[in-house]
Amino acid sequence: MGYQKVLVAVAVAADSQLLVQKAVSIVRPYNGQITLLSMVANPELYNSFAGPMLGDLRNLMEEETRLFLEQLRQQAGYPIADLLVVQGELGDGLIYANQQYSFDLVICGNHSDHLMNKLSCSAARFIDTSQADVLIVPL
């Protein structure tokens, strides 16, 4: 049995292409579907006195993320079913996406070299509550 519905959590970073390639290699033999998900940080966290500019900053960050996801889609060499941009924490975004679409596998990258960070990645809350398999790829 192969994975049919795979969610790939990516950051706006060059090494996200590695995660997409991993997903493609997993689903291609089974003609599975891939969905890309990326997080947008709340601009309120960066500048609490910006006032009206926060809406513009939020829109700009979301548009930049969507453009990056579209670029990953074009470079994948395999059809990407959907692109999701969510705000907040990664664990919450993964839980939300899995509730909406029910994935078989979730792929995340681990950018950390520190042992404690590897043991307690930001996807830990999702891993604890999910029925989906989770693949953590070292980057």
Side-chain angles (χ1 to χ4, degrees):
M1 177 187 124
Y3 293 106
Q4 294 297 311
K5 293 177 72 179
V6 175
L7 176 65
V8 184
V10 298
V12 179
D15 55 4
S16 291
Q17 185 64 35
L18 298 172
L19 298 174
V20 175
Q21 290 171 357
K22 177 66 79 175
V24 169
S25 70
I26 290 170
V27 302
R28 187 183 299 271
Y30 307 100
N31 294 320
Q33 294 180 347
I34 297 172
T35 297
L36 303 181
L37 174 138
S38 190
M39 306 302 300
V40 174
N42 284 330
E44 291 89 348
L45 298 176
Y46 299 112
N47 193 349
S48 61
F49 58 87
M53 294 185 338
L54 289 178
D56 292 339
L57 182 56
R58 184 180 299 112
N59 291 339
L60 181 64
M61 292 168 68
E62 189 169 323
E63 181 62 24
E64 177 182 294
T65 303
R66 287 190 189 285
L67 290 171
F68 180 77
L69 290 176
E70 190 58 46
Q71 182 181 19
L72 286 177
R73 174 186 262 171
Q74 292 172 5
Q75 296 171 350
Y78 187 87
I80 303 297
D82 206 357
L83 305 175
L84 303 175
V85 177
V86 294
Q87 292 187 8
E89 296 294 320
L90 177 61
D92 294 332
L94 294 175
I95 291 169
Y96 169 78
N98 200 44
Q99 288 172 343
Q100 299 298 311
Y101 298 94
S102 188
F103 294 98
D104 303 327
L105 175 67
V106 175
I107 299 175
C108 301
N110 186 355
H111 297 273
S112 177
D113 293 331
H114 299 96
L115 179 60
M116 286 308 293
N117 288 342
K118 286 184 179 182
L119 295 176
S120 62
C121 69
S122 57
R125 192 168 137 224
F126 173 75
I127 293 168
D128 288 342
T129 61
S130 175
Q131 298 298 315
D133 291 345
V134 179
L135 174 63
I136 306 292
V137 178
L139 298 172

